[in-house]
């Protein structure tokens, strides 16, 4: 029988085809291995889409943080739903001498045991994340990608508390700047105390917050106020340990540096312990690249002249014309508008139209205004114009602190902030160093009288443990106001953050429709 002979060139084609097939299978196998080895969660996927689109540049620290967020996203599937209390917490929290007090106490205890059993049946809750590092390294950017990846359940699934509902990674959530969150908490306390002057508002507020959001994402977490420090200690003890709320926070400070140097800081330390026990602490201190500065502003929101903007030279006239063009012509009407603010207060706007308000720097930063006022202005107007902005140095600490708070409010609400200043943007904030020393070693001071003031017009004397009387301020520092303490501890960082944000906010795409 004669054997068929395959021509050499056919053999060559066959081998080539087999080699291509084997190479293709190898590549597919390698791709599958790589897919299993690297994070393919929603945060990493969204980050890679941003990289591919040229919106961001791949950064190793950001890639690692995205993977940690994906791990948290996956663990949210095991988060137990918040149990619904059947008793009225407002009523049970009020003190009473009636025979109903015992019955209320028993009902409260039964509710507590039901809640604990409900949570224990799901095992340990997911750990939160506390991310700290310099400005512009991507902390808030990655947190926002994570927040967007968490699905909010619809009304039906919110009410569905069966045994399978905890398997779905659909939970209620809230993302908020820490200034705004504390204003909300203070307002809730204010409203509660109006009805129940002798009641304890913190447990009620903790329950409200937990039932509104099982995931809390905070931007710019910081503590500089004794009242906030004491509220946070109790509130987060309930949120994290009793209600299993998952907290994600970005900050410029590591946990151990929170409320550093504050009065009675030892009373605040348990909060730091709780935070470290329930959260993964992630440092981005080694990342020194401020990515916001890579996209320089196009001159659309920051104008400057070395003379007063109301001067009569050509440069100032041109700048004034540009501001009026942004404003949209003359103001509509001559009557000022009264903008409502939290706690029953108001702020007045003298020059405005439907979409824009125009202020002098002194109107917003030399007056006793704060975050609540600026947030209300941002909610009302999509564009704010401020002129006569001076160079901010150590001589303008209080004004600089208020200005930074205004920038933060505009940044969070995507309000366009147009500035007319006396110096270029890179010279607006002047770095400084200041040191303040406490009067005693452990920084615990005893107030001998009620009240106290951080103003230079009124003082209260305090007595140290050694019996020495010294001037008291809201900071617990000798002769140092709360604004000055905030400035010495945080304003240098706030300057860098504010300058970085102003660059980003100066882009043509910035603002809300």
């Amino acid at each position: 029988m004669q054997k068929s002979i395959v021509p050499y060139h056919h053999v060559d084609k066959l081998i080539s085809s087999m080699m291509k097939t084997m190479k293709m299978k190898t590549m597919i196998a390698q791709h599958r291995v790589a897919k299993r080895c690297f994070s393919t969660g929603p945060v990493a996927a969204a980050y890679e889409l941003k990289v591919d689109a040229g919106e961001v540049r791949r950064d190793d620290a950001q890639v690692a943080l995205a993977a940690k967020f994906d791990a948290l996203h996956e663990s949210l599937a095991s988060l137990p739903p918040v149990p619904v209390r059947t008793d009225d917490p407002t009523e049970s929290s009020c003190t009473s001498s009636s025979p109903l007090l015992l019955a209320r106490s028993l009902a409260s205890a039964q509710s507590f045991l039901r809640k604990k059993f409900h949570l224990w049946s799901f095992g340990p809750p997911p750990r939160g994340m506390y991310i700290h590092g310099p400005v512009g390294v991507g902390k808030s950017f990655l947190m926002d990608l994570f927040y967007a990846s968490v699905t909010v359940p619809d009304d039906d699934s919110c009410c569905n508390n069966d045994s399978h509902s905890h398997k779905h990674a659909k939970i209620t959530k809230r993302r908020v700047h820490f200034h705004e969150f504390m204003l909300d908490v203070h307002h809730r306390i204010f409203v509660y105390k109006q009805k129940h002057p002798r009641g304890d508002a913190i447990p009620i507020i903790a329950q409200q917050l937990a039932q509104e959001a099982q995931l809390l994402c905070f931007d710019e977490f910081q503590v500089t106020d004794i009242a906030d420090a004491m509220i946070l200690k109790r509130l987060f003890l309930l949120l994290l340990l009793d209600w299993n709320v998952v907290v994600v926070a970005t900050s410029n400070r590591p946990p151990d540096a929170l409320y550093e140097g504050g009065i009675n800081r030892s009373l605040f330390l348990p909060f730091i312990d709780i935070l470290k026990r329930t959260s993964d602490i992630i440092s981005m201190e080694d990342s020194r690249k401020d990515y916001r500065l890579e996209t320089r502003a196009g001159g659309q929101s920051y104008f400057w002249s070395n003379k007063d903007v109301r001067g009569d030279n050509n440069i100032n006239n041109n700048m004034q014309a540009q501001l009026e063009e942004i404003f949209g012509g003359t103001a509509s009407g001559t009557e000022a508008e009264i903008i409502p603010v939290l706690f029953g207060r108001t702020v007045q706007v003298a020059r405005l139209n439907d979409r824009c308000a125009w202020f002098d720097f002194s109107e917003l930063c030399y007056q006793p205004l704060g975050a609540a006022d600026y947030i209300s202005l941002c909610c009302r107007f999509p564009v704010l114009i401020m002129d006569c902005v001076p160079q901010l140095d150590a001589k303008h600490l209080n004004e600089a602190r208020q200005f930074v708070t205004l920038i933060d409010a505009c940044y969070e609400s995507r309000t366009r902030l147009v500035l007319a200043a006396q110096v270029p943007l890179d010279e607006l904030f002047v770095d400084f160093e200041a040191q303040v020393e406490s009067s005693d070693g452990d920084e615990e001071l005893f107030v001998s009288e009620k009240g106290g003031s951080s103003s230079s017009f009124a003082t209260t004397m305090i007595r140290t443990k050694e019996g020495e009387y010294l001037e008291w301020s809201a900071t617990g520092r000798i002769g140092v106001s709360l604004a000055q303490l905030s400035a010495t501890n945080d304003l240098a960082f706030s300057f860098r953050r504010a300058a970085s944000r102003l660059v980003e906010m100066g882009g043509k795409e910035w603002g809300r429709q």
Side-chain angles (χ1 to χ4, degrees):
M1 182 177 180
Q2 187 177 3
K3 296 181 180 179
S4 60
I5 299 176
V6 180
Y8 179 81
H9 65 277
H10 288 175
V11 174
D12 186 59
K13 287 183 179 180
L14 182 60
I15 293 175
S16 177
S17 177
M18 292 176 62
M19 291 287 290
K20 287 182 180 180
T21 303
M22 291 177 62
K23 187 176 181 180
M24 182 64 69
K25 290 182 178 179
T26 302
M27 291 177 61
I28 293 173
Q30 289 175 345
H31 177 72
R32 288 174 178 170
V33 171
K35 202 172 182 180
R36 287 194 299 266
C37 292
F38 293 98
S39 174
T40 55
V43 182
Y47 179 79
E48 291 300 331
L49 286 176
K50 297 281 187 182
V51 172
D52 294 340
E55 297 179 26
V56 299
R57 200 147 40 87
R58 182 177 281 102
D59 180 274
D60 291 342
Q62 294 179 1
V63 171
L65 183 58
K68 293 181 184 296
F69 271 124
D70 280 331
L72 174 58
H73 184 278
E74 185 176 353
S75 67
L76 289 178
S78 63
L79 184 67
V82 176
V84 179
R85 286 183 67 162
T86 55
D87 59 320
D88 185 353
T90 303
E91 294 298 327
S92 62
S93 65
C94 298
T95 57
S96 173
S97 57
S98 66
L100 293 176
L101 178 61
L102 179 59
R104 286 175 178 170
S105 299
L106 290 174
S108 179
Q110 289 175 352
S111 174
F112 174 80
L113 291 175
R114 284 197 307 269
K115 180 181 67 177
K116 282 296 183 184
F117 179 78
H118 177 83
L119 296 178
W120 287 338
S121 64
F122 286 87
R127 292 173 61 81
M129 291 172 60
Y130 183 96
I131 310 151
H132 62 94
V135 299
V137 297
K139 305 185 300 294
S140 301
F141 168 64
L142 267 299
M143 184 181 73
D144 287 343
L145 290 183
F146 162 74
Y147 183 81
S149 72
V150 177
T151 306
V152 179
D154 54 30
D155 293 338
D156 292 336
S157 59
C158 282
C159 302
N160 181 15
N161 285 330
D162 61 28
S163 59
H164 299 289
S165 61
H166 70 280
K167 295 180 181 179
H168 302 289
K170 292 185 177 182
I171 63 173
T172 51
K173 61 180 182 177
R174 181 184 181 188
R175 194 270 192 204
V176 63
H177 190 278
F178 194 67
H179 269 319
E180 189 175 347
F181 175 77
M182 289 310 302
L183 282 171
D184 178 38
V185 170
H186 282 292
H187 183 66
R188 291 174 191 246
I189 294 174
F190 173 77
V191 171
Y192 179 85
K193 288 294 186 180
Q194 294 289 100
K195 296 181 179 179
H196 310 285
R198 300 178 63 186
D200 185 2
I202 300 301
I204 311 304
I205 294 171
Q207 179 187 340
Q208 292 172 352
L209 293 172
Q211 301 213 333
E212 292 168 7
Q214 295 168 274
L215 171 67
L216 281 175
C217 293
F218 296 118
D219 196 25
E220 303 299 341
F221 194 100
Q222 58 180 327
V223 185
T224 57
D225 182 274
I226 178 62
D228 287 353
M230 295 302 99
I231 290 172
L232 282 174
K233 187 188 75 170
R234 293 193 59 214
L235 182 63
F236 274 64
L237 179 70
L238 294 168
L239 289 176
L240 296 173
L241 300 184
D242 277 9
W243 291 102
N244 282 8
V245 172
V246 176
V247 170
V248 175
T250 68
S251 178
N252 65 295
R253 289 174 168 266
D256 290 326
L258 288 172
Y259 194 49
E260 194 170 35
I263 185 173
N264 289 338
R265 185 174 185 264
S266 60
L267 300 178
F268 179 71
L269 294 180
F271 166 80
I272 298 178
D273 292 336
I274 294 170
L275 189 63
K276 292 195 291 188
R277 199 167 76 212
T278 58
S279 303
D280 292 328
I281 311 302
I282 300 168
S283 172
M284 298 187 74
E285 296 294 340
D286 294 335
S287 302
R288 296 291 172 181
K289 182 69 174 178
D290 186 348
Y291 287 100
R292 292 195 191 107
L293 300 183
E294 292 190 350
T295 55
R296 289 284 178 180
Q300 301 297 310
S301 295
Y302 191 91
F303 306 89
W304 74 277
S305 169
N306 57 5
K307 294 184 179 180
D308 191 286
V309 296
R310 292 171 180 166
D312 198 24
N313 57 70
N314 292 333
I315 296 177
N316 288 332
N317 288 338
N318 180 55
M319 184 168 66
Q320 194 74 11
Q322 289 178 291
L323 293 178
E324 290 178 357
E325 182 180 355
I326 293 172
F327 181 72
T330 57
S332 57
T334 56
E335 293 186 1
E337 181 174 334
I338 306 300
I339 308 296
V341 185
L342 290 176
F343 312 107
R345 299 189 301 105
T346 59
V347 60
Q348 181 171 301
V349 184
R351 187 176 183 183
L352 73 151
N353 54 38
D354 290 340
R355 57 179 292 277
C356 183
W358 193 328
F359 300 95
D360 186 281
F361 180 84
S362 60
E363 291 181 88
L364 292 184
C365 297
Y366 280 92
Q367 303 301 319
L369 303 178
D373 306 281
Y374 301 143
I375 291 171
S376 294
L377 289 174
C378 290
C379 289
R380 168 62 180 85
F381 301 101
V383 180
L384 299 179
I385 297 176
M386 178 188 286
D387 59 16
C388 301
V389 180
Q391 188 177 48
L392 299 168
D393 54 20
K395 297 178 182 179
H396 300 86
L397 293 186
N398 290 343
E399 295 83 9
R401 178 178 57 85
Q402 289 184 242
F403 183 58
V404 167
T405 302
L406 171 64
I407 292 172
D408 287 343
C410 291
Y411 185 85
E412 288 299 314
S413 62
R414 293 195 66 85
T415 298
R416 186 181 180 193
L417 178 62
V418 180
L419 301 176
Q422 299 170 6
V423 293
L425 177 55
D426 56 3
E427 298 177 14
L428 180 61
F429 297 100
V430 178
D431 288 334
F432 65 93
E433 293 184 0
Q435 294 182 349
V436 186
E437 295 183 356
S438 175
S439 59
D440 63 355
D442 59 7
E443 299 164 344
E444 291 190 23
L445 305 176
F446 300 90
V447 179
S448 58
E449 302 177 29
K450 292 183 178 179
S453 174
S454 60
S455 167
S456 60
F457 301 104
T459 61
T460 296
M461 301 307 291
I462 59 167
R463 177 175 56 83
T464 67
K465 288 189 287 188
E466 288 73 26
E468 182 182 1
Y469 282 87
L470 299 168
E471 180 184 351
W472 180 84
S473 75
T475 64
R477 305 287 198 172
I478 304 173
V480 179
S481 71
L482 181 62
Q484 290 168 324
L485 178 69
S486 175
T488 55
N489 281 347
D490 293 307
L491 203 54
F493 175 88
S494 298
F495 280 178
R496 294 191 296 273
R497 185 185 72 231
S500 175
R501 287 185 164 181
L502 283 177
V503 171
E504 182 181 358
M505 294 162 69
K508 295 181 180 180
E509 302 300 323
W510 182 267
R512 63 182 191 264
Q513 300 299 326

